[in-house]
Amino acid sequence: MIAGAFTGLAGGLYAVMENRSPRTSSTDQVRRAGVHDVIGGIYTFAGPVVGAAVFVVLNSYLVAWTENWALVLGIILLVMVLLLPGGVVGFINEKARGALSKRGWVRKWVFSR
């Protein structure tokens, strides 16, 4: 609920800043935000930020590397969704949970969902 409130506030402020209205907006930005959420991880607050960073870096490298950047980006995103169902941040959390609990630094229940 809190993340949704911040997202709505950010979207409203962005629309005012860019002088956008529903007639001039496109669904491309909404789809891109959804992709950022899926890449980074929807279960964490930092997931969309990490997802946006990964998407921008990956997109800029692929555009410079190949003409078929959209196809390659789509394949990479599909593989990421299949192999990392919790996103990049979820994957990092799982690895940290395993490493820290093996060493006895953190109890299992601290990172439980």
Side-chain angles (χ1 to χ4, degrees):
M1 184 172 80
I2 293 171
F6 278 117
T7 303
L9 178 65
L13 292 174
Y14 180 75
V16 170
M17 185 178 77
E18 294 290 322
N19 292 327
R20 296 215 172 213
S21 69
R23 291 184 204 179
T24 61
S25 297
S26 68
T27 58
D28 183 48
Q29 292 178 341
V30 174
R31 285 181 288 198
R32 190 175 297 149
V35 169
H36 295 169
D37 293 342
V38 170
I39 291 172
I42 59 174
Y43 299 113
T44 61
F45 189 72
V49 175
V50 172
V54 169
F55 181 80
V56 167
V57 169
L58 191 61
N59 191 21
S60 64
Y61 278 117
L62 288 176
V63 167
W65 181 60
T66 182
E67 288 183 16
N68 298 328
W69 61 270
L71 176 66
V72 176
L73 181 64
I75 292 171
I76 290 172
L77 294 178
L78 181 66
V79 169
M80 285 180 71
V81 167
L82 292 175
L83 295 179
L84 305 174
V88 174
V89 176
F91 177 75
I92 292 170
N93 281 342
E94 289 293 323
K95 293 299 176 185
R97 178 192 316 181
L100 293 176
S101 63
K102 282 182 185 176
R103 292 190 176 112
W105 293 351
V106 176
R107 294 186 193 114
K108 287 259 188 196
W109 55 268
V110 173
F111 288 106
S112 64
R113 290 185 196 177

